[in-house]
Each structure stands twice: as structure tokens, then as C-alpha cells.
């Protein structure tokens, strides 16, 4: 494989003479004589720009990257009465959002994402827009709010009147009819749980979906779903790009577990934590009302324990919090059962909160498991709440002079089916508006979400490469342990493994196996004026 040098300009040249959507793809130039063609890889296409101090902009695709002759138009918001008094409403062309907000004195500037918001020029006229909205995956508070604000935002801010909903998830593109969405038809849906469009898992046929998009003349697709859904959205975007269609594909990330990487949080999470309080409060009332009462509450959290962790901190009534990221054990003087016995002797009652993915390895040791998965590829989990309740009862059954009363509460589907609260309603509104501003400005192939408090456009690959997890070597988890006064349960090896996982950060870019940017020598610049070189996206 030939050696390659990654070329990029210094920071001041990043926007010099370059349109705002053209902040450039990295130029990869051979440094030796051409050899045999390089083997094709399945790495996602990455649009990158670099600068002094280790600055890297992980940019998102733009329609003009593959349709360079597209015409742009003045943004109709400049004449909108609601925004006429807003100072500097349009986002500056070179505004970016830093991925890491806490730095040291000599830290590199690091990775940035393009800031979300309206641009001065748009690439769609209102009467040509045909937008489609689809919801996929599991339910989550706020889905209807996102739908409502996409429809109303397109209509009220940009004058778009042709918006349809795809019923039943991805396969609804070719297996179901569409439903017309207007501000009137979506009025009030934010007060309802679930999704008015329906949802499903799996069933994606990319070619059929894009055929439907092309046949219906759809040129903006808003896809609301979790990491699996966004992986599908990335494939749809690539097929749209391959066919050369003028169609923006935008993802709005959704997961009640809050396990999407990079972003601050996912919508519906605040509502889920708030609703979890009701279950924890019920468990606490039951536990303290009987002799040696134990309340066990199972919350959502397949691979990440964010709901359990935040609900525990918010409640202050929890005696033990168990999450997938932190292993625990039952037997022995430092095990969970011995701790439960001590806590009952001290307080007379206790509450245990656990995420659904916690302790699955312990369950696997005691019974044969069928390695089955759902349509989204998620492994089916056994009910850890029932299993733990059985183990606790079995332990105290051996102590006839120590009777207990255990109540098990599983509010899983009650939590995710409720309407979003005030905080999530505001959040969903901002997400929807940021998404449609990006689509109208011609950006595509991205998800929109806040990074360090500022909404940004994030490439699909960035939020699908790994899941966000609770860092058990972080101060937030330490606060939980201090709040509950529970054992850590961790061996030194567990702590070291957790620390190593925390330090593993995906390096961008990944070009021909190299894990870092290589600054080019002056002789390798494509011109002598310090301007960026239009190059190949890798």
C-alpha cells in the first residue's frame, strides 16, 4: 500500500474564499510512485478539515458535494416578522462546536462539529420541498413533539406545505401509505405518548426505500430513531448520494437509555428519569410500611445505566443501584445479599434499583440461555428483576428468624409510553428546528444534537461507532455510591478495565490505517497561497 500524506491548511485559511458548506474534504496525496490500486474499505466517508493547534473539523456532507450546480436562494427567514428583531440570527459560516469543552493549558484544539442553525442561503425553495418524517425503533417520550415541531417549523418558518408522515417505520416507505401532515393535523399530538406515525424494528430494504423516495419526489427525509435507526439512515444517505438525488437525509437521535455517543443527552431521558421517581417512591412506601420491607425496581437500560443512575441520585431513597457497566456479585461478606441483610438490620427497609441489562452474566451462569435477538439486532434479555427477587427471597428463607416482605415493580413500558415533560418538549422543539435549518441549507447525512450545550451537525458515523456508557471511574458514579452507601462490588481488575475503556477514544480521521492527522510539509501543499485543496473524501 502506498504511503500517503494528509494535507490540510492552517486555521486562518479554513474559510478563506471558500463557501460555508465547502470547508473542505481532506486531500490525500500519494508520496511515492503509484502502485497497485488500494484495496477498497468499508470505512464511512469522512469530510474533514484541519488547522493549527490540532484543530479538526468533522464536517457533514452537503448536497453540492455531489450536485455542484445546485442553485442557492436567500433564506426566507430574513423577511420573517418573528425574526426581524433578532440580532445576528443567522449562524456564522465558520462557527463550530468543540467536542471537548474541558481542556488544559497546552491542550490541542481537538475535534469540532459544524454548529447548527439557519444559514443566509438555502438550497430549497418552499414550493419545491417535499418532506417526509419517519419514526423507528422503540417508543420514547417526545416522539410526537419532534413530529409536530418539524411540521410546524417547516410551515411557519420556511413556508413549506408538502409534508408527509411515513407510517410503521422504515418498511412503511414501501409497505404502507403516507399520511399528510399539516400544522392543524399535528396540533396537540405533543400531549400524547407514543408516535402518531407508528413504528417498527428492522425490515429495512434500502433499495426499496430509496426507490420510494425517488418515485414520490421526496427531497427531505427526517428520520427519528436510535443508533440502529441512524445506521440505516446512513446507508439510505449513501444510496441517495450514489444515485445523485437532490435529497437531504437528516437524523434526529432518539433513545430513552441515553446511550448515543458524543451528544449531551437524548430526548425523552429527562421524562424517563422523572417517571422513574414514581416507581421508586412506590417501592419506598411499600418497603418502609412493612417489617424488613424490600422494594426492587427495574428500569430501562439495556447496555447503559443512565436512567437508573440519575433516578437514584434524584430520589435519595435508594439503598443500592445496579447498572450494566458495574459488575456485582451476590455471595460472600461483601456481596449484595450480605449488604441487604446489614441494611435491613440498620434501617428496617431498603430499596434496590437496577437497570434491565445489569447482572445478565450472573443469570447466564444459572440457566441455559437462548441467544436470540429482536429485529433491531438487540439481544433478548432475561428479567433480572425477577431473578434478583428470587435470589433475595431464597437467601432469607434460610433465616427463619429474619422474615422479609419483598415487592417487585417493573414500570418499563409505562415510563416510555408517557408524554414528554416540559423540559423534553423544549428540547424536542430545538432539535426539530435545528434539523430543518440544516436540511434547508443543503446539509445532509447528519444527526442533530447538542454537544456541550450547543446544537451541532454530527456525521452519522460519529454516533453509530460506539454506545455511550456510564463511566464507573467518573465522579458521577462516585456520587451515586456516596448517596446509597452501597458496596462498590468492583475488583481492582474491574476498575482497571473500566479505566482503560474510558480512555479509548476513537481517533479521527482513520485514513489508510493511520489514526492521526499528519500535517503536510509546505512543499506538499496544493498551491502556494495557503488555500485548502478540494480533495477526495475518505
Amino acid at each position: 500500500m502506498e504511503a500517503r500524506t494528509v494535507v490540510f491548511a492552517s486555521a486562518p485559511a479554513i474559510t478563506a474564499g471558500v463557501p460555508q458548506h465547502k470547508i473542505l474534504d481532506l486531500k490525500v496525496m500519494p508520496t511515492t510512485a503509484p502502485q497497485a490500486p488500494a484495496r477498497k474499505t468499508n470505512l464511512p466517508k469522512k469530510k474533514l478539515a484541519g488547522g493549527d493547534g490540532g484543530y479538526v473539523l468533522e464536517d457533514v456532507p452537503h448536497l453540492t458535494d455531489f450536485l455542484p450546480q445546485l442553485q442557492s436562494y436567500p433564506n426566507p427567514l430574513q423577511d420573517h416578522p418573528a425574526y426581524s428583531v433578532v440580532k445576528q440570527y443567522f449562524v456564522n459560516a465558520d462557527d463550530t462546536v468543540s467536542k471537548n469543552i474541558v481542556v488544559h493549558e497546552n491542550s490541542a484544539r481537538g475535534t469540532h462539529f459544524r454548529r447548527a442553525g439557519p444559514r443566509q442561503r438555502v438550497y430549497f425553495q418552499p414550493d419545491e420541498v417535499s418532506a417526509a418524517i419517519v419514526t423507528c425503533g422503540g417508543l420514547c417520550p417526545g416522539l410526537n413533539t419532534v413530529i409536530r415541531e418539524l411540521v410546524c417549523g417547516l410551515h411557519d418558518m420556511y413556508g413549506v406545505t408538502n409534508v408527509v408522515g411515513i407510517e410503521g417505520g422504515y418498511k412503511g416507505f414501501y409497505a404502507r401509505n403516507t399520511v399528510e401532515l399539516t400544522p392543524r393535523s399535528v396540533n396537540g399530538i405533543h400531549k400524547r405518548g407514543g408516535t402518531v406515525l407508528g413504528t417498527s424494528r428492522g425490515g429495512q430494504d434500502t433499495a426499496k426505500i430509496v426507490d420510494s423516495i425517488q418515485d414520490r419526489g421526496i427531497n427531505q427525509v427526517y428520520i427519528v430513531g436510535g443508533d440502529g435507526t441512524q445506521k440505516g439512515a446512513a446507508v439510505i444517505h449513501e444510496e441517495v448520494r450514489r444515485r445523485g438525488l437532490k435529497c437531504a437525509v437528516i437524523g434526529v437521535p432518539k433513545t430513552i437509555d441515553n446511550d448515543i455517543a458524543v451528544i449531551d443527552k437524548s430526548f425523552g431521558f429527562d421524562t424517563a428519569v422523572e417517571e422513574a421517581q414514581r416507581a421508586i417512591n412506590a417501592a419506598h412506601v411499600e418497603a418502609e410500611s412493612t417489617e424488613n420491607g424490600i422494594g426492587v425496581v427495574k428500569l430501562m437500560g439495556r447496555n447503559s445505566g443512565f436512567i437508573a443512575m440519575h433516578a437514584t441520585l434524584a430520589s435519595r431513597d435508594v439503598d443500592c443501584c445496579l447498572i450494566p457497566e458495574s459488575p456485582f456479585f451476590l455471595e460472600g461478606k461483601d456481596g449484595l445479599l450480605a449488604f441487604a441483610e446489614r441494611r435491613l438490620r440498620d434501617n428496617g427497609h431498603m430499596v434496590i434499583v437496577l437497570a434491565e441489562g445489569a447482572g445478565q452474566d450472573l443469570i447466564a451462569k444459572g440457566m441455559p440461555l437462548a441467544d436470540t435477538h429482536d429485529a433491531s439486532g438487540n439481544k433478548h434479555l432475561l428479567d433480572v428483576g425477577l431473578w434478583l427477587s428470587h435470589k433475595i427471597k431464597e437467601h432469607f428463607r434460610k433465616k427463619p428468624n429474619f422474615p422479609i416482605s419483598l415487592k417487585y415493580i417493573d414500570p418499563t413500558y409505562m415510563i416510555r409510553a408517557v408524554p414528554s415533560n416540559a423540559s423534553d418538549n423544549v428540547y424536542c422543539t430545538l432539535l426539530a428546528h435545528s434539523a430543518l435549518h440544516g436540511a434547508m441549507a443543503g446539509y445532509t447525512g447528519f444527526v442533530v444534537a447538542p454537544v456541550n450545550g450547543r446544537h451541532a451537525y454530527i456525521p452519522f458515523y460519529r454516533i453509530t461507532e460506539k454506545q455511550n456508557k456510564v463511566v464507573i471511574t467518573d465522579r458521577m458514579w462516585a456520587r451515586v455510591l456516596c448517596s446509597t452507601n452501597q458496596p462498590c462490588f468492583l475488583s481492582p481488575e474491574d476498575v482497571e478495565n473500566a479505566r482503560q475503556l474510558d480512555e479509548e477514544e476513537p481517533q479521527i480521521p482513520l485514513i489508510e490505517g493511520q489514526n492521526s492527522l499528519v500535517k503536510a510539509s509546505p512543499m506538499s501543499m496544493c498551491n502556494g497561497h495557503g488555500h485548502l485543496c478540494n480533495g477526495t473524501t475518505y
Side-chain angles (χ1 to χ4, degrees), residues 450-528:
V451 178
N452 294 319
R454 294 287 186 177
H455 283 235
Y457 298 143
I458 307 167
F460 279 130
Y461 64 82
R462 249 319 199 163
I463 60 100
T464 59
E465 60 193 355
K466 72 170 189 176
Q467 285 186 318
N468 193 27
K469 293 181 180 294
V470 173
V471 180
I472 59 175
T473 56
D474 186 67
R475 278 175 292 184
M476 183 61 84
W477 181 241
R479 293 184 183 109
V480 173
L481 298 182
C482 287
S483 170
T484 61
N485 290 314
Q486 70 187 69
C488 182
F489 296 120
L490 297 176
S491 66
E493 292 77 13
D494 292 329
V495 175
E496 181 60 28
N497 291 337
R499 184 174 289 113
Q500 291 176 1
L501 288 174
D502 182 34
E503 292 172 353
E504 289 181 2
E505 176 66 20
Q507 298 296 316
I508 297 297
L510 296 173
I511 299 178
E512 297 292 334
Q514 299 178 28
N515 289 325
S516 62
L517 283 170
V518 181
K519 191 168 183 178
S521 64
M523 295 299 294
S524 64
M525 300 297 291
C526 60
N527 61 48

Side-chain angles (χ1 to χ4, degrees), residues 72-320:
S72 66
Y73 313 93
N75 194 322
L77 282 178
Q78 67 185 12
D79 301 318
H80 198 292
Y83 299 103
S84 60
V85 298
V86 177
K87 180 180 179 182
Q88 196 176 340
Y89 182 66
F90 295 113
V91 173
N92 288 330
D94 57 352
D95 278 1
T96 61
V97 178
S98 175
K99 178 179 180 293
N100 294 322
I101 196 170
V102 178
V103 296
H104 304 293
E105 182 179 0
N106 298 320
S107 297
R109 291 182 63 190
T111 300
H112 290 238
F113 302 108
R114 187 171 290 280
R115 184 183 176 190
R119 267 58 181 177
Q120 291 183 341
R121 307 289 294 182
V122 296
Y123 285 80
F124 292 94
Q125 296 199 74
D127 57 358
E128 74 167 306
V129 174
S130 178
I133 304 170
V134 62
T135 54
C136 305
L139 296 183
C140 179
L143 283 168
N144 283 332
T145 305
V146 172
I147 296 169
R148 181 189 188 279
E149 297 309 320
L150 284 171
V151 174
C152 293
L154 285 167
H155 184 275
D156 298 337
M157 288 190 283
Y158 288 99
V160 174
T161 58
N162 187 9
V163 184
V164 298
I166 306 298
E167 296 183 310
Y170 273 139
K171 59 187 178 184
F173 275 99
Y174 51 86
R176 301 282 293 274
N177 291 326
T178 61
V179 55
E180 182 182 4
L181 299 176
T182 65
R184 182 173 181 177
S185 69
V186 299
N187 185 37
I189 65 172
H190 61 292
K191 300 175 184 178
R192 298 161 52 184
T195 165
V196 296
L197 297 179
T199 184
S200 63
R201 295 186 182 275
Q204 177 183 338
D205 187 318
T206 303
K208 287 184 178 181
I209 290 173
V210 180
D211 285 344
S212 176
I213 290 172
Q214 191 170 3
D215 292 344
R216 297 174 187 268
I218 295 170
N219 51 25
Q220 289 184 13
V221 182
Y222 298 92
I223 300 173
V224 189
D227 55 351
T229 298
Q230 302 308 330
K231 288 177 182 177
V235 176
I236 292 171
H237 160 68
E238 288 301 323
E239 178 63 15
V240 166
R241 179 171 181 155
R242 188 188 69 80
R243 298 189 189 187
L245 304 180
K246 183 186 178 182
C247 179
V249 180
I250 301 94
V252 181
K254 171 236 53 164
T255 169
I256 202 170
D257 291 345
N258 198 38
D259 59 359
I260 294 180
V262 179
I263 71 176
D264 291 351
K265 67 176 180 179
S266 53
F267 73 82
F269 177 69
D270 281 353
T271 305
V273 172
E274 184 176 301
E275 285 297 311
Q277 301 302 294
R278 302 177 188 275
I280 294 174
N281 184 59
H284 183 252
V285 170
E286 289 283 352
E288 69 175 356
S289 298
T290 58
E291 180 184 10
N292 296 324
I294 300 176
V296 178
V297 181
K298 186 186 76 172
L299 300 175
M300 296 191 75
R302 172 177 293 276
N303 300 304
S304 303
F306 287 102
I307 293 179
M309 179 175 72
H310 283 259
T312 294
L313 278 175
S315 169
R316 300 293 176 175
D317 287 330
V318 179
D319 296 277
C320 187

